[in-house]
C-alpha cells in the first residue's frame, strides 16, 4: 500500500463519526498488514512504521490518540514475533492477533460506560468540555437508565465542537446548555461534577485534551469540584510533559498547518496539557484509576 | 402387573428406607439453611462488635460454606460464594467489610486455581495493557478445570488469611515506636481499638501526651481517655469545637477508620473530617491506622447508586432527647445523628496497615493485589 492509498483508506474510515480516530488508525494499519508484500518481518515492521508516519501527518480530530493507538499496535506486532520458519505462517498469526486486538479495543467504550455510570447521580449537574464520544456514550447510558441530570457544555472555540455535542445530547433527551468557554468559572458554582474526555493520557497521569481543559480543571480545583476523565486504555502514551511548552508541535497543530510551514507563534494550538494534580479520577477500561496508577500500567506494558 | 405378597412387603420396606434417607438429607440441608439464615438475621440486627468481629464472622461463615457445599470446579465455587455474598451484602449494605471478605475469598480461589495449574501469578492478575496484547485466551475458558486439591488449598489459604487478620492489630501496634517520639503531642478522636493498642505499645518505651476529642454525641472518646490514663499515659479530653484551637500545639493526628475507600479517602467516625481539615490547615500530619481488610473497592460516589448506604443514622435521642424534642417549640425541628464522615484523600498523610505504611495514592496497588476487578460486581 502506498502513501496515498493509506491516507485515503484512513480518511474513509474517519468519515464514520462513531469511530474513534485511534481505532480508525488501527484498522488502517491492519489493512496495511494484510496487503503488505514484504518477505521478512523487519521489512514488514519498516513498512508499518512508514504507514504510521503517514497517518500521523493526516488531518484528523485527535492526532495524539492516533499516535498512541498506532504505537500500541506496532508494539503488539514486535511482542508477537514468533520463531517460525515460514514467513507466511507468521503473517497469518499476526493478522489474526491484529483482528483480536481490534476486537478487544472496540469494547473499551462499553467497559468505561459501565464503570462510569455510578459517578452520575440522580439530580446532578454535569459540566463537560467540547465533543467527546466517550462522554456522550456514558451520558446516553445514564439517560437510558432513567437518571435525571442536566449538562452544561462549553462551546469550545475555535471549531465550536461544543455545539455538536449539545446537538447529540439533545437527541438523547438530556437537558443541555451550551456556555461560552469564558463562562466556565461563572457556571462552576452550580455544577456537581466535571466530566471530560481525553485525546491522550500521559505517563504521570495527566491528560492531553482540547484546548481549554487545563483552564477548566484549574477552576474546578479552585472550587473543589471533582474532575473525572474518561479515556480508553489505547490512549496511554509514553510521554512525560512538564509544562505546556513540552507538547510536541504535531499534537498541538493540525498536520496541514505544519506542512504549510505557517508561523507557529501566531497559530492557535488545538490541545493543552492538564497536570495530574488537577484530576480526581481516570475512568478507563482497565478500571477506575487514580492518576498515580497510570504510570504503573504503562510500566507493565513497556518493560 | 401383579405383585406377590412377599414382593409387596419388600417394596414397602425399600420405600421406607429411601424416604428416611431423603428426610435425613433434607434435615441436614434445613439445619444448614437455618444457620445461614440466622447469620443473615444477625447481620440485619447489627449483632456484631466492631468491624474486626464482623470480618471474622463473615470469613468463617464463608469457610463453612466452602467446606459444606458441593461444587465441581472453581467457577461453580465462585458462583456459590458470589450468591451467598450478595445475600450478606444486601442484609447490611453499610458495612463494607462484608463485601471485602467475599471478594477476598474469591480472589483467593482464583489465585489457588492458577497456582495449581502451574501458571504464573500474573496470569490471574488484573487487566493491563500488557495482558490485552499478549493473552489470547478468553475469560470463559478459565476456572472450569476440575482439580482435586483445590478444596484443601483454598481452605488452607483462607485459614492463613484469618491468621493474618488475627495478628493485624498486633502488627500495626508494632510500628508505633517508629512514629511516636518522646514529648510529642498526639491528637485522636473517638475510640478505635487499633489506635488504643498503637498508643499503649508506644507508651511502653516513650513518654508522650495524648489529646482525645470526645466525639459527641456518642462520647466514645471518654472511654478511650479512661483506658489510656489507666496505662499511665498523660491524656486530655477536649470538646469537638476545641479541635481547631488546640491543633497548633499538636505534633501528629492519629485516627482509626471504619473503612478505606478505593481512592484513598476514608469513611471514619463523625467528626473526623473536621479534625482532618484542621490538621491540614496547621500542616500537622494525619496518620490513619487500619487493617487491610478495611480496604474497599468502592469509590465515594459509587456506593450502590445512592448515598443512603454511606452513612448510618443513629438515634437522634442523643443529640436532642425525646422529651425536649417533643415539646411544642421543637416539634417541627429535624434532628440527625450521622455516625460516619467522608475524609478526602488529600487530607491524609500516611495510612498504616498490618503490611506497613503507605501513601493514600498507593491504594490502587494494594487494591489490585487484594481483589480481582471482575469481582467488583458480585
Amino acid at each position: 500500500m502506498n502513501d496515498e492509498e493509506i491516507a485515503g483508506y484512513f480518511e474513509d474510515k474517519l468519515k464514520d463519526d462513531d469511530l474513534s480516530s485511534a481505532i480508525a488508525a488501527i484498522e488502517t494499519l491492519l489493512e496495511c498488514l494484510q496487503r503488505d508484500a514484504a518477505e521478512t518481518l523487519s521489512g514488514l515492521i519498516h513498512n508499518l512504521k512508514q504507514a504510521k508516519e503517514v497517518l500521523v501527518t493526516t488531518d484528523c480530530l485527535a492526532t495524539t490518540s492516533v499516535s498512541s493507538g498506532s504505537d500500541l499496535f506496532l508494539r503488539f506486532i514486535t511482542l508477537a514475533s514468533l520463531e517460525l520458519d515460514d514467513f507466511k505462517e507468521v503473517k497469518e498469526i499476526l493478522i489474526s492477533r491484529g483482528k483480536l486486538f481490534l476486537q478487544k479495543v472496540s469494547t473499551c467504550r462499553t467497559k468505561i460506560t459501565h464503570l462510569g455510570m455510578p459517578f452520575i447521580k440522580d439530580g446532578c449537574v454535569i459540566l463537560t468540555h467540547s465533543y467527546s464520544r466517550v462522554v456522550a456514550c456514558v451520558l446516553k447510558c445514564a439517560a437510558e437508565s432513567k437518571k435525571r441530570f442536566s449538562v452544561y457544555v462549553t462551546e469550545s472555540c475555535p471549531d465550536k465542537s461544543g455545539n455538536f455535542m449539545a446537538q447529540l445530547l439533545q437527541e438523547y433527551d438530556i437537558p443541555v446548555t451550551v456556555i461560552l468557554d469564558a463562562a466556565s468559572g461563572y457556571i462552576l458554582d452550580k455544577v456537581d461534577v466535571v466530566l471530560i474526555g481525553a485525546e491522550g493520557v500521559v505517563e504521570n497521569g495527566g491528560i492531553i485534551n482540547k484546548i481549554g481543559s487545563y483552564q477548566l480543571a484549574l477552576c474546578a480545583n479552585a472550587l473543589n469540584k471533582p474532575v473525572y476523565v474518561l479515556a480508553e486504555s489505547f490512549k496511554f502514551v509514553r510521554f512525560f510533559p512538564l509544562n505546556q511548552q513540552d507538547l510536541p508541535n504535531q499534537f498541538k497543530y493540525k498536520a496541514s498547518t505544519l506542512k504549510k510551514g505557517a508561523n507557529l507563534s501566531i497559530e492557535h494550538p488545538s490541545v493543552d496539557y492538564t497536570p495530574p494534580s488537577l484530576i480526581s479520577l481516570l475512568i478507563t477500561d482497565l478500571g477506575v484509576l487514580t492518576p498515580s496508577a497510570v504510570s504503573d500500567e504503562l510500566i507493565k506494558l513497556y518493560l | 402387573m401383579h405383585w406377590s405378597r412377599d414382593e409387596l412387603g419388600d417394596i414397602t420396606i425399600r420405600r421406607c428406607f429411601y424416604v428416611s434417607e431423603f428426610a435425613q438429607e433434607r434435615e441436614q440441608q434445613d439445619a444448614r439453611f437455618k444457620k445461614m439464615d440466622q447469620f443473615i438475621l444477625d447481620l440485619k440486627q447489627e449483632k456484631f462488635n466492631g468491624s474486626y468481629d464482623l470480618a471474622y464472622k463473615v470469613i468463617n461463615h464463608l469457610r463453612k460454606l466452602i467446606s459444606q457445599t458441593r461444587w465441581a470446579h472453581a467457577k461453580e465455587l465462585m458462583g456459590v460464594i458470589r450468591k451467598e455474598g450478595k445475600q450478606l451484602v444486601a442484609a447490611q449494605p453499610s458495612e463494607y467489610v462484608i463485601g471485602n471478605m467475599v471478594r477476598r475469598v474469591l480472589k483467593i480461589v482464583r489465585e489457588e486455581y492458577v497456582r495449581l495449574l502451574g501458571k504464573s501469578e500474573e496470569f490471574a492478575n488484573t487487566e493491563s495493557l500488557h495482558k490485552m496484547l499478549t493473552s489470547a485466551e478468553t475469560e470463559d475458558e478459565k476456572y472450569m478445570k476440575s482439580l482435586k486439591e483445590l478444596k484443601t488449598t483454598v481452605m488452607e489459604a483462607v485459614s492463613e488469611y484469618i491468621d493474618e487478620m488475627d495478628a493485624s492489630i498486633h502488627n500495626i501496634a508494632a510500628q508505633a515506636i517508629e512514629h511516636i517520639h518522646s514529648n510529642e503531642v498526639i491528637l485522636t478522636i473517638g475510640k478505635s481499638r487499633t489506635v488504643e493498642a498503637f498508643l499503649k505499645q508506644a507508651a511502653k518505651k516513650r513518654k508522650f501526651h495524648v489529646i482525645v476529642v470526645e466525639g459527641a454525641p456518642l462520647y466514645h472518646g471518654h472511654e478511650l481517655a479512661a483506658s489510656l490514663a489507666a496505662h499511665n499515659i498523660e491524656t486530655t479530653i477536649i470538646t469537638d469545637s476545641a479541635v481547631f484551637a488546640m491543633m497548633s500545639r499538636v505534633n501528629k493526628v492519629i485516627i482509626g477508620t471504619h473503612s478505606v475507600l478505593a481512592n484513598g479517602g476514608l469513611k471514619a467516625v463523625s467528626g473526623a473530617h473536621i479534625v482532618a481539615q484542621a490538621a491540614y490547615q496547621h500542616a500537622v500530619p494525619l496518620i490513619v491506622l487500619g487493617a487491610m481488610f478495611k480496604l474497599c473497592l468502592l469509590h465515594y460516589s459509587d456506593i450502590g447508586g445512592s448515598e443512603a448506604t454511606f452513612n448510618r443514622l443513629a438515634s437522634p435521642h442523643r443529640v436532642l432527647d425525646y422529651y425536649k424534642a417533643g415539646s411544642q417549640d421543637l416539634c417541627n425541628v429535624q434532628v440527625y445523628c450521622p455516625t460516619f464522615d467522608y475524609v478526602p484523600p488529600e487530607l491524609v498523610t500516611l495510612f498504616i496497615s498490618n503490611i506497613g505504611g503507605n501513601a493514600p495514592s498507593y491504594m490502587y496497588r494494594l487494591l489490585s493485589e487484594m481483589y480481582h476487578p471482575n469481582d467488583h460486581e458480585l
Side-chain angles (χ1 to χ4, degrees):
Chain A
M1 255 178 125
N2 62 14
D3 290 355
E4 280 137 21
E5 280 179 4
I6 294 173
Y9 192 88
F10 182 47
E11 273 164 7
D12 231 0
K13 285 276 165 181
L14 280 178
K15 286 197 188 123
D16 180 5
D17 238 353
D18 205 32
L19 214 58
S20 161
S21 318
I23 298 189
I26 293 172
E27 283 189 0
T28 316
L29 285 175
L30 189 62
E31 186 67 25
C32 283
L33 175 61
Q34 281 175 314
R35 291 203 215 166
D36 196 69
E39 293 292 314
T40 60
L41 192 61
S42 49
L44 180 67
I45 293 174
H46 176 79
N47 288 342
L48 285 176
K49 283 198 177 141
Q50 277 200 309
K52 180 203 154 193
E53 287 307 310
V54 171
L55 292 174
V56 162
T57 50
T58 313
D59 266 355
C60 68
L61 270 182
T63 329
T64 324
S65 57
V66 165
S67 164
S68 62
S70 321
D71 268 337
L72 219 62
F73 188 80
L74 290 175
R75 173 81 187 168
F76 151 78
I77 297 279
T78 53
L79 269 180
S81 318
L82 305 157
E83 296 294 323
L84 290 172
D85 279 333
D86 191 4
F87 181 65
K88 280 213 183 81
E89 276 180 42
V90 173
K91 203 167 161 190
E92 290 298 314
I93 295 178
L94 286 180
I95 292 172
S96 66
R97 291 283 297 277
K99 290 198 177 127
L100 184 70
F101 178 67
L102 192 62
Q103 197 186 30
K104 281 194 185 169
V105 143
S106 315
T107 59
C108 285
R109 219 178 275 170
T110 28
K111 284 192 202 159
I112 295 177
T113 314
H114 194 65
L115 288 169
M117 283 283 279
F119 289 93
I120 299 174
K121 291 185 265 209
D122 229 7
C124 73
V125 179
I126 302 173
L127 174 60
T128 185
H129 182 65
S130 182
Y131 171 53
S132 164
R133 276 170 281 245
V134 190
V135 175
C137 196
V138 174
L139 293 177
K140 174 177 172 214
C141 268
E144 279 170 3
S145 61
K146 302 282 189 280
K147 283 195 187 174
R148 288 160 295 183
F149 58 92
S150 58
V151 181
Y152 287 103
V153 187
T154 56
E155 192 185 31
S156 172
C157 290
D159 57 358
K160 309 232 169 129
S161 44
N163 288 323
F164 184 68
M165 178 77 160
Q167 216 177 17
L168 194 62
L169 292 178
Q170 263 168 356
E171 280 171 27
Y172 305 144
D173 281 330
I174 299 172
V176 58
T177 317
V178 179
I179 60 169
L180 297 172
D181 298 339
S184 37
Y186 171 78
I187 211 81
L188 264 170
D189 230 350
K190 297 193 215 166
V191 165
D192 293 318
V193 65
V194 177
L195 271 183
I196 47 181
E199 284 184 25
V201 178
V202 294
E203 227 173 300
N204 57 6
I207 59 163
I208 297 175
N209 197 24
K210 185 82 192 290
I211 191 96
S213 319
Y214 180 39
Q215 204 162 285
L216 187 56
L218 272 173
C219 292
N221 246 267
L223 293 167
N224 279 321
K225 306 287 177 188
V227 176
Y228 299 136
V229 173
L230 304 168
E232 298 100 317
S233 56
F234 55 76
K235 290 181 175 163
F236 283 21
V237 56
R238 258 213 110 177
F239 182 56
F240 206 120
L242 295 173
N243 55 25
Q244 305 297 332
Q245 273 60 47
D246 278 346
L247 290 179
N249 284 338
Q250 63 188 101
F251 289 172
K252 285 200 279 202
Y253 307 105
K254 275 190 163 178
S256 44
T257 323
L258 291 172
K259 271 190 230 172
K260 271 192 293 186
N263 184 1
L264 290 175
S265 55
I266 55 168
E267 282 294 325
H268 295 293
S270 62
V271 292
D272 61 21
Y273 158 67
T274 307
S277 52
L278 303 175
I279 299 169
S280 313
L281 287 173
L282 282 135
I283 303 171
T284 70
D285 52 287
L286 302 171
V288 180
L289 309 170
T290 49
S292 37
V294 171
S295 41
D296 218 24
E297 286 297 329
L298 278 168
I299 289 174
K300 271 193 244 171
L301 172 64
Y302 284 102
L303 289 173
Chain B
M1 256 222 269
H2 289 285
W3 305 93
S4 72
R5 274 227 178 146
D6 283 331
E7 281 174 343
L8 271 175
D10 227 0
I11 290 170
T12 332
I13 293 172
R14 241 180 279 147
R15 254 186 79 226
C16 286
F17 183 67
Y18 287 147
V19 165
S20 71
E21 217 187 55
F22 186 61
Q24 235 184 2
E25 210 185 283
R26 267 290 278 283
E27 248 177 60
Q28 271 179 346
Q29 252 190 352
D30 275 341
R32 236 183 292 145
F33 284 147
K34 259 200 204 126
K35 265 200 204 136
M36 293 189 185
D37 279 341
Q38 181 59 38
F39 186 60
I40 291 181
L41 209 64
D42 279 342
L43 279 182
K44 282 199 184 141
Q45 294 174 345
E46 297 185 14
K47 282 200 186 141
F48 45 84
N49 210 352
S51 41
Y52 172 71
D53 187 47
L54 178 60
Y56 192 73
K57 287 200 175 116
V58 170
I59 204 161
N60 271 317
H61 179 87
L62 289 172
R63 189 164 63 162
K64 253 186 266 167
L65 186 76
I66 297 174
S67 65
Q68 286 172 0
T69 47
R70 231 174 289 166
W71 42 272
H73 45 68
K75 193 163 180 182
E76 207 182 309
L77 171 62
M78 291 201 290
V80 166
I81 298 175
R82 216 171 262 148
K83 192 167 142 216
E84 183 68 13
K86 260 196 216 148
Q87 279 189 319
L88 293 175
V89 169
Q92 188 58 262
S94 73
E95 288 291 339
Y96 305 150
V97 172
I98 304 172
N100 293 351
M101 290 294 105
V102 174
R103 292 182 180 102
R104 186 81 188 101
V105 170
L106 287 170
K107 172 92 179 180
I108 288 176
V109 171
R110 282 175 202 263
E111 274 180 351
E112 292 306 317
Y113 177 85
V114 160
R115 195 175 302 166
L116 282 177
L117 280 184
K119 295 206 177 101
S120 75
E121 289 285 304
E122 201 198 289
F123 199 75
N125 242 358
T126 54
E127 296 266 328
S128 76
L129 282 176
H130 185 92
K131 198 162 152 224
M132 194 158 69
L133 299 187
T134 52
S135 78
E137 197 182 295
T138 53
E139 266 299 304
D140 297 347
E141 291 170 24
K142 290 196 206 174
Y143 308 118
M144 295 279 271
K145 265 206 189 147
S146 149
L147 299 161
K148 268 187 286 169
E149 310 89 34
L150 187 65
K151 189 165 189 170
T152 36
T153 44
V154 167
M155 296 295 284
E156 251 175 52
V158 173
S159 304
E160 231 179 83
Y161 185 65
I162 295 178
D163 290 333
E164 198 188 299
M165 257 174 51
D166 273 335
S168 54
I169 287 191
H170 176 80
N171 287 337
I172 295 174
Q175 301 172 53
I177 209 82
E178 304 163 3
H179 295 281
I180 299 180
H181 309 294
S182 286
N183 293 327
E184 277 200 325
V185 179
I186 311 278
L187 186 124
T188 184
I189 178 166
K191 177 175 160 70
S192 160
R193 247 170 307 169
T194 323
V195 173
E196 199 182 333
F198 195 79
L199 295 174
K200 284 180 182 167
Q201 181 71 20
K204 287 185 186 162
K205 293 221 174 120
R206 308 251 199 264
K207 201 121 184 66
F208 54 92
H209 194 113
V210 178
I211 300 179
V212 180
V213 181
E214 60 181 6
L218 300 171
Y219 300 112
H220 286 313
H222 293 178
E223 291 166 34
L224 177 65
S227 162
L228 292 177
H231 258 74
N232 291 325
I233 302 175
E234 268 182 64
T235 322
T236 309
I237 291 188
I238 61 170
T239 56
D240 298 355
S241 36
V243 166
F244 193 86
M246 294 297 274
M247 195 53 80
S248 49
R249 305 237 252 102
V250 171
N251 294 112
K252 287 191 175 90
V253 177
I254 300 181
I255 59 174
T257 177
H258 175 266
S259 20
V260 181
L261 304 172
N263 61 348
L266 311 173
K267 177 174 162 174
V269 71
S270 175
H273 195 164
I274 300 175
V275 170
Q277 202 70 50
Y280 185 72
Q281 197 68 22
H282 288 88
V284 173
L286 174 67
I287 300 176
V288 177
L289 308 180
M292 284 308 285
F293 63 80
K294 290 186 178 177
L295 187 58
C296 314
L297 262 180
L298 302 167
H299 283 268
Y300 178 46
S301 293
D302 74 357
I303 310 204
S306 77
E307 299 292 315
T309 53
F310 184 77
N311 224 326
R312 212 188 302 157
L313 298 177
S315 162
H317 170 72
R318 295 176 183 277
V319 177
L320 187 65
D321 66 71
Y322 289 133
Y323 186 66
K324 283 199 204 119
S327 70
Q328 194 67 15
D329 316 310
L330 294 171
C331 61
N332 281 327
V333 174
Q334 289 205 340
V335 185
Y336 287 117
C337 180
T339 344
F340 299 118
D341 232 348
Y342 170 66
V343 181
E346 304 86 61
L347 304 177
V348 179
T349 320
L350 186 66
F351 174 60
I352 297 181
S353 69
N354 43 321
I355 58 172
N358 291 301
S361 58
Y362 195 63
M363 283 305 119
Y364 74 90
R365 193 61 184 271
L366 297 174
L367 274 174
S368 67
E369 285 171 14
M370 284 188 54
Y371 311 118
H372 197 273
N374 288 350
D375 298 331
H376 185 102
E377 285 221 0
L378 283 179

